[in-house]
Amino acid sequence: MTVQRPLGLGTHIFVPDADAAVEFYRAAFGATELIRHTLPDGRILFVELAFGPDKLLLSQEIPELDARAPASVGGSPVMLLLELDDVDTTFAGAIARGATVERPVAEMFWGERYGIVRDPFGHRWALCTRRELLAPDQVAERVPNQEAEIASWADARLESGD
């Protein structure tokens, strides 16, 4: 009998160097490799990684399959969200391993400690730790002045060199 995956939404990313990416995600974010499939020429068709209960498929860039990494298409509009027990330690570890800061870790009005990094392969990661469990109306009461908030985010990106 074949065991089927549960139905739902999955994420599949493409990187120029799959082995380096697997090692980065293992060391920086605690990912565990579950499955690896390689093409006859040695390129990695896909690796399935576990991040806690969640899974991520990762493939080496293979242009003839239209599998392209962010640098090949001018960047990625997608951000991956990783919820953690300790965002500060993970954030610092990702930076030490080659990620760049897009938004430093800070307390956010929606009840999380939250920051954004770009990994060495061009993918953006929002890293967060829940600090408070807030109802939607509580979050709505805390929403700051939109212009000031957007300006502070832009200032943080400029200070980080992005």
Side-chain angles (χ1 to χ4, degrees):
M1 178 166 89
T2 301
V3 177
Q4 290 194 316
R5 294 176 191 261
L7 298 177
L9 179 65
T11 304
H12 191 161
I13 64 172
F14 304 97
V15 297
D17 184 340
D19 287 326
V22 168
E23 178 54 27
F24 175 85
Y25 298 140
R26 185 199 60 71
F29 301 147
T32 303
E33 184 173 327
L34 302 176
I35 301 168
R36 178 182 290 242
H37 291 285
T38 308
L39 294 172
D41 65 6
R43 292 181 294 176
I44 295 173
L45 184 60
F46 72 85
V47 174
E48 184 175 43
L49 299 173
F51 294 78
D54 297 315
K55 307 287 189 304
L56 173 74
L57 284 178
L58 175 149
S59 291
Q60 188 165 333
E61 184 171 52
I62 304 172
E64 61 270 27
L65 297 178
D66 203 23
R68 300 180 190 278
S72 295
V73 295
S76 174
V78 174
M79 184 164 19
L80 302 162
L81 174 68
L82 184 58
E83 297 181 70
L84 306 153
D85 288 327
D86 182 357
V87 67
D88 293 283
T89 299
T90 302
F91 193 93
I95 299 308
R97 290 172 175 87
T100 56
V101 176
E102 281 201 8
R103 176 148 179 86
V105 174
E107 297 293 332
M108 304 308 293
F109 67 88
W110 58 82
E112 291 179 342
R113 191 149 173 75
Y114 177 95
I116 301 171
V117 298
R118 184 178 303 269
D119 71 30
F121 316 99
H123 294 283
R124 300 172 68 220
W125 293 79
L127 307 175
C128 66
T129 298
R130 178 178 289 167
R131 307 281 275 196
E132 301 175 85
L133 184 55
L134 300 172
D137 60 329
Q138 292 174 301
V139 174
E141 290 170 5
R142 292 182 175 188
V143 173
N145 175 297
Q146 291 297 324
E147 284 186 33
E149 180 68 8
I150 290 169
S152 75
W153 280 54
D155 290 344
R157 284 185 53 110
L158 290 174
E159 290 169 11
S160 72
D162 252 350

